[in-house]
Amino acid sequence: MVGNKLFTSPGEALEYLYNNRFGENRYVLGSKYWLEVQAMLLAVSALVVYFLLIIEKAWKKRGLLLCMFGVLVVFLSFTVTKSAILGFLLGFIVMNFYLFRKLSFKRQFLFVGGALVFVLSLTLLMDLNKYEERIHEVGIEVQNVREGKFVGGTVAPRLAFIKESFRHWDEFALWGLGVTTKHRIKAWYEASDLNIAVFNNVNNTFLQYWITAGLVGLAVMIFLFFAPLYRMIKRKRFSFLILSVLLVFLVVSNSCVTLSWANSRALMLIFLAMFYFYGDMFSQLENDIPQEEKPSI
């Protein structure tokens, strides 16, 4: 994407990546590779690598994992994708809430020091102006929505999709629209007064499957996302890695139709299946976190 500018002019290369949001949507192998999918995969990968960094005992491997985690977070920041970044931050907080307490005081001190150095380094690399623009954009969108104007940005149109879809709730609530879904949604949007005629998608996984297959579709989506959580509660064996990754999937799926895209469907289903069938193995991994040995008397 940046060619040899990464070596001849690193500043311009980084600015280019931020301005172009990591290349945005790309065409790969004849299919569109959506930016939201790229950001989701980066967020999940960063959380998994961070977890491995904590449970790894060999310092050499920790160094490699730390570098990989840093690269993934920087790449995620390039996307400037609100949903994936929010999902990553929520997952990161949830994971640390549990894992941080299990570390010895020495490791906690090293962790906090390393985190501060990492954050300071990131602020030097990140294009903060781009984030300020996005924050300002979201503020304007929120104000527009409060005034009943569903225009501009990316948040307002998504809310408009949902609002317009529920105006036709009686058409899909029980049995769904089946193979006519795409055509009916397009007709709704073209006749809408919310300026969304150019779109043909609800941009929400749960609502998309509800409209397509009625209550059955909605039930399937709820089962896929929440069955691993129910299983953990029933068995009283929790994995904060599972919770963290589920948060990413859940947040991103409420801003786009991840399970309708071939680029993300297989990976998400594999993860959700692993979380359900092998949840105990994830819980056991968290018991392998190195503990401080108690001095013998």
Side-chain angles (χ1 to χ4, degrees):
M1 286 188 288
V2 296
N4 61 4
K5 278 190 176 181
L6 185 61
F7 305 100
T8 59
S9 183
E12 288 185 19
L14 293 176
E15 185 178 357
Y16 173 81
L17 287 174
Y18 276 111
N19 290 335
N20 290 273
R21 299 188 63 190
F22 203 52
E24 295 188 338
N25 303 324
R26 304 195 196 113
Y27 286 91
V28 180
L29 300 176
S31 177
K32 185 177 285 187
Y33 192 31
W34 298 93
L35 179 65
E36 289 88 350
V37 177
Q38 299 174 56
M40 182 185 71
L41 297 181
L42 288 169
V44 170
S45 300
L47 288 173
V48 172
V49 170
Y50 177 73
F51 179 81
L52 294 175
L53 173 63
I54 291 176
I55 68 172
E56 179 57 54
K57 298 178 182 179
W59 283 100
K60 288 184 179 179
K61 290 183 180 179
R62 279 184 186 168
L64 292 173
L65 289 169
L66 181 62
C67 291
M68 185 181 291
F69 175 71
V71 169
L72 289 168
V73 172
V74 171
F75 282 3
L76 176 60
S77 74
F78 287 155
T79 67
V80 199
T81 303
K82 295 186 287 289
S83 59
I85 292 174
L86 176 61
F88 167 77
L89 291 175
L90 290 174
F92 191 71
I93 291 170
V94 166
M95 192 183 295
N96 281 291
F97 177 77
Y98 173 75
L99 298 179
F100 188 72
R101 294 185 304 166
K102 298 192 68 173
L103 301 177
S104 65
F105 176 77
K106 179 181 177 182
R107 285 170 62 82
Q108 287 178 351
F109 178 79
L110 291 172
F111 172 83
V112 172
L116 288 174
V117 171
F118 180 73
V119 170
L120 291 174
S121 301
L122 236 117
T123 55
L124 296 176
L125 290 172
M126 290 169 59
D127 187 350
L128 298 180
N129 291 329
K130 191 70 175 176
Y131 277 88
E132 290 177 3
E133 290 176 13
R134 296 285 283 170
I135 293 171
H136 180 65
E137 175 187 293
V138 172
I140 293 175
E141 288 185 77
V142 171
Q143 185 60 35
N144 286 339
V145 171
R146 285 177 177 174
E147 296 174 358
K149 304 173 184 175
F150 292 85
V151 293
T154 57
V155 175
R158 283 180 167 87
L159 294 176
F161 300 153
I162 295 172
K163 182 175 181 178
E164 183 61 38
S165 296
F166 275 106
R167 287 178 178 176
H168 305 271
W169 183 80
D170 58 319
E171 296 184 40
F172 67 84
L174 293 177
W175 311 112
L177 300 175
V179 295
T180 66
T181 298
K182 185 174 182 179
H183 303 290
R184 290 298 301 138
I185 290 177
K186 185 177 181 181
W188 295 347
Y189 292 173
E190 287 178 348
S192 175
D193 58 351
L194 300 177
N195 301 313
I196 51 176
V198 295
F199 302 101
N200 58 9
N201 202 301
V202 295
N203 273 284
N204 184 294
T205 297
F206 297 92
L207 184 55
Q208 174 76 18
Y209 278 84
W210 188 2
I211 294 174
T212 303
L215 290 178
V216 174
L218 178 61
V220 169
M221 288 301 100
I222 292 174
F223 172 79
L224 287 176
F225 282 85
F226 293 99
L229 182 61
Y230 170 77
R231 188 175 185 272
M232 285 191 289
I233 294 173
K234 185 177 180 181
R235 289 174 170 259
K236 296 181 180 180
R237 298 193 66 180
F238 293 90
S239 167
F240 283 77
L241 174 60
I242 289 178
L243 290 174
S244 300
V245 175
L246 280 177
L247 276 172
V248 177
F249 287 159
L250 189 64
V251 173
V252 176
S253 293
N254 278 283
S255 69
C256 57
V257 285
T258 45
L259 278 171
S260 291
W261 293 333
N263 304 129
S264 56
R265 187 188 302 121
L267 179 128
M268 290 182 69
L269 291 176
I270 288 170
F271 263 76
L272 293 171
M274 286 194 302
F275 292 160
Y276 183 81
F277 291 108
Y278 304 104
D280 293 345
M281 295 178 68
F282 285 89
S283 299
Q284 183 59 43
L285 282 174
E286 293 177 13
N287 294 328
D288 296 335
I289 297 173
Q291 300 288 322
E292 185 177 29
E293 295 182 3
K294 295 182 179 179
S296 57
I297 299 177

